[in-house]
Amino acid sequence: MATVILLRHARSTANGSGVLAGRSLGVGLDERGQAQARALVGRLKDVPVSAVVSSPLQRCEETLAPLLADRSLEAVAEPDLSEVDYGAWTGKALKDLYDEPLWAVVQQHPSAAVFPDGEGLAHVQARAVAAVRAHDARITEEHGPGAVWILCSHGDVIKAVLADALGVHLDGFQRIVVDPCSVSVVQYTPTRPFVLRTNDNGGDLSGVVPAAPKEAPSSDATVGGATGA
């Protein structure tokens, strides 16, 4: 199967203000986030990207814009990779949510957390993992098993996908750190996923490109070498 780079959107105006943006419209990147987005072009310069799939929210679109322009690529919008629907919590300051009884559930037992008038984190994981696997199968079919593609989404969504790939229960996903504009890399196979990187904020990402398959030996090759040793 293919290799997917899980890219969290760059720093947004909501990240800087301590607000739970959720699916609010009009949330773009702040100045630091714009710089992070521009830097992605250089970070990924040695990575052949076959396809890009993204949450449809503005902050993901702005994160990808410089890279898409540089590569002459278009992103496929995938609603199932959108941010968590935080329901009545959307737009609230995080400091005002810390004393809510549900906050402790979100932190300690997230598989049981369902946001008021919103969705549950277990559902978030189910929809996101299904979307990742479906796109990975499609891209593998279109571009071959050595393809590398980018998925741009949100912190909790990516943490949920990584927990699944690591074989970690959703209740442990808060132990995973996914910074703005960080990349994590997963390679899916017919039997299990392999997590190659998590929360990478560095430079060179060429190491995530799968090695080219070796040529099969010719029919007259001697097993074990010419001496049989």
Side-chain angles (χ1 to χ4, degrees), residues 71-149:
R71 299 293 184 98
S72 298
L73 290 171
E74 292 186 5
V76 173
E78 175 52 73
D80 282 339
L81 295 173
S82 190
E83 178 63 288
V84 179
D85 181 357
Y86 293 112
W89 280 21
T90 301
K92 291 189 175 182
L94 293 174
K95 64 180 179 62
D96 294 333
L97 297 172
Y98 293 153
D99 293 330
E100 293 281 345
L102 181 60
W103 185 266
V105 180
V106 171
Q107 299 303 315
Q108 300 172 25
H109 189 29
S111 64
V114 179
F115 295 96
D117 301 322
E119 65 180 335
L121 288 173
H123 176 259
V124 173
Q125 184 180 52
R127 64 168 166 84
V129 170
V132 172
R133 289 180 177 272
H135 283 288
D136 192 75
R138 172 183 63 80
I139 292 166
T140 299
E141 178 68 22
E142 293 176 0
H143 300 281
V148 179
W149 61 287

Side-chain angles (χ1 to χ4, degrees), residues 192-204:
R192 61 190 173 191
F194 291 89
V195 178
L196 306 182
R197 297 195 187 188
T198 60
N199 199 40
D200 189 319
N201 292 286
D204 182 20

Side-chain angles (χ1 to χ4, degrees), residues 18 23 135 143 146 160 172 206 215:
R23 298 182 178 181
H135 283 288
H143 300 281
S206 61
E215 293 184 5

Side-chain angles (χ1 to χ4, degrees), residues 57-70:
L57 293 181
Q58 178 181 336
R59 51 196 183 272
C60 289
E61 293 178 348
E62 291 183 3
T63 299
L64 290 170
L67 180 67
L68 295 178
D70 181 71

Side-chain angles (χ1 to χ4, degrees), residues 37-62:
R38 291 192 297 269
L40 276 174
V41 176
R43 291 176 66 192
L44 292 164
K45 65 183 177 61
D46 294 322
V47 180
V49 177
S50 296
V52 180
V53 179
S54 178
S55 157
L57 293 181
Q58 178 181 336
R59 51 196 183 272
C60 289
E61 293 178 348
E62 291 183 3

